[in-house]
Amino acid sequence: MASLGVNIDHIANVRQARRTVEPDPVTYALLAELGGADGITVHLREDRRHIQERDVELLRQTVRSRLNLEMAATAEMEAIALRLRPDMVTLVPEKREEVTTEGGLDVAAQTGPLTAMVTRLQQAGIGVSLFVDPAAAQLEACRAIGARWVELHTGAYAEADWQRQSDELARLTEGSFIARSLGLRVNAGHGLTYQNVEPVAAIEGMEELNIGHTIVARALAVGLEQAVREMKVLVQNPRRDPLFGSLQP
């Protein structure tokens, strides 16, 4: 049964549109936890377009579930993580011009620097996950650098039309199998919605789904606490669509 990590970056997006003090993502993190969130995820970007260091500092003091800090693999971000000590760090690719993260981290192309960073973070007691595409070469590189977690990038699945979605789901299922065979623990996220989350939640070995935009969008109608409750039902009790079978590789 997968757990649910709620990404609250889009709460901060609304605040930063006016550079004011509301809505405060720290307050909304509490509402997400009241709705059943198993963890809170934030992405502290280098350009600080939404989440600010102040947010992460207060969340570290107030989150009672689990705090997952998404960040680029830079010296600046590593220093912040070592100072604030989130429960987990997820290393993600980051480009200034993108609207949101566009793909997985190319771990295989930077094993040296990433090995050193992963080692330092884990020695500090911080869990480390790598946000990667469900490709064997990337998953093998994650294992080689000493990471214990991966987060499979579900963007291709989320954006696929109905003709290709089953193929993308098969890639995620195979990626989960490969990762687990390498001794890695598996999370997933990016672009998941109330409409497409259940097949991913039903993949064997899936431990946590990190979901943000669709929950915040739903919260405009029903409130954040209720929106989280509705998503958690889908994540923890997914219907197994006969089209996808048991979702085993």
Side-chain angles (χ1 to χ4, degrees), residues 78-96:
E78 181 186 355
I80 291 171
L82 290 173
R83 176 170 63 86
L84 298 180
R85 303 294 179 95
D87 299 294
M88 177 172 283
V89 158
T90 300
L91 298 178
V92 301
E94 190 174 306
K95 293 184 291 187
R96 290 293 177 92

Side-chain angles (χ1 to χ4, degrees), residues 24-35:
D24 189 337
V26 178
T27 302
Y28 280 80
L30 171 60
L31 293 175
E33 289 185 314
L34 288 173

Side-chain angles (χ1 to χ4, degrees), residues 11-202:
I11 302 296
N13 265 333
V14 176
R15 178 191 62 191
Q16 296 307 114
R18 288 292 184 92
R19 298 291 195 274
T20 182
V21 298
E22 60 179 2
D24 189 337
V26 178
T27 302
Y28 280 80
L30 171 60
L31 293 175
E33 289 185 314
L34 288 173
D38 300 294
I40 300 298
T41 295
V42 291
H43 184 175
L44 181 63
R45 296 184 69 107
E46 292 181 276
D47 62 9
R48 307 300 198 271
R49 67 176 64 170
H50 40 58
I51 294 295
Q52 307 297 305
E53 285 180 56
R54 166 266 186 200
D55 302 328
V56 185
E57 291 171 355
L58 291 177
L59 287 167
R60 175 65 288 179
Q61 297 171 33
T62 56
V63 165
R64 290 295 175 261
S65 53
R66 183 168 60 247
L67 181 61
N68 173 28
L69 176 62
E70 294 181 343
M71 67 182 206
T74 66
E76 178 199 18
M77 291 299 159
E78 181 186 355
I80 291 171
L82 290 173
R83 176 170 63 86
L84 298 180
R85 303 294 179 95
D87 299 294
M88 177 172 283
V89 158
T90 300
L91 298 178
V92 301
E94 190 174 306
K95 293 184 291 187
R96 290 293 177 92
E97 65 273 17
E98 67 189 0
V99 175
T100 185
T101 306
E102 296 176 347
L105 189 66
D106 189 355
V107 179
Q110 45 187 326
T111 55
L114 286 176
T115 298
M117 180 176 291
V118 168
T119 298
R120 289 189 294 267
L121 290 167
Q122 290 183 160
Q123 286 179 342
I126 302 169
V128 179
S129 179
L130 300 169
F131 183 74
V132 294
D133 293 321
Q138 296 298 334
L139 296 168
E140 289 165 0
C142 291
R143 178 66 184 89
I145 69 171
R148 297 171 189 150
W149 296 82
V150 292
E151 180 172 336
L152 300 181
H153 177 226
T154 56
Y157 162 80
E159 295 167 8
D161 61 29
W162 67 271
Q163 293 176 307
R164 297 184 298 109
Q165 196 171 59
S166 60
D167 292 337
E168 295 299 337
L169 181 66
R171 289 183 64 224
L172 290 169
T173 303
E174 182 180 26
S176 175
F177 176 80
I178 293 170
R180 288 182 290 114
S181 71
L182 292 169
L184 296 165
R185 300 175 70 175
V186 182
N187 299 333
H190 195 80
L192 296 176
T193 68
Y194 292 90
Q195 291 73 36
N196 66 24
V197 69
E198 291 180 279
V200 178

